[in-house]
Amino acid sequence: ASPSSKPSDYNKVYIKKLMDKSKHKKKGKTWFSKVKIVVKHKNRGIMKGIFVAGVFGNLEKLFFCRTNSKGICNIKGPKLKSAQNEINFVVTQLGDGESTYN
């Protein structure tokens, strides 16, 4: 008998939506970056408890969350000065918190 390996169930997990939920303060000199992420599985639909991590802009700090029962998690990023009117968010890890898929 030859060894076989079963593909991980996380191979079919994907980001369904990545939405900007940043908050700009009226008359303020700062704003907060925030993203809302929806995670699904190709066959099973909404995924609860999925670890999602990523980075804002060129910051070295990793921001992360875990999906709720609706497959949603929110990541609040750094406080930014109003002169900086945008920042990118890149998902770097997606998985169960132990096994991540980059």
Side-chain angles (χ1 to χ4, degrees), residues 25-57:
K25 292 186 174 187
K26 295 177 185 175
K27 299 182 184 180
K29 295 182 181 181
T30 60
W31 61 283
F32 289 94
S33 54
K34 183 177 180 181
V35 291
K36 178 179 179 180
I37 301 164
V38 179
V39 177
K40 285 196 151 187
H41 185 279
K42 183 179 177 183
N43 300 325
R44 297 189 302 167
I46 290 173
M47 293 294 288
K48 176 184 177 184
I50 298 297
F51 176 81
V52 182
V55 293
F56 283 91

Side-chain angles (χ1 to χ4, degrees), residues 1-15:
S2 61
S4 65
S5 64
K6 180 180 174 188
S8 168
D9 200 34
Y10 289 99
N11 289 344
K12 296 179 181 178
V13 173
Y14 66 97
I15 303 289

Side-chain angles (χ1 to χ4, degrees), residues 63-76:
F63 294 84
F64 57 90
C65 63
R66 195 171 287 279
T67 58
N68 63 19
S69 61
K70 295 180 180 180
I72 297 170
C73 70
N74 294 289
I75 298 179
K76 185 177 178 183

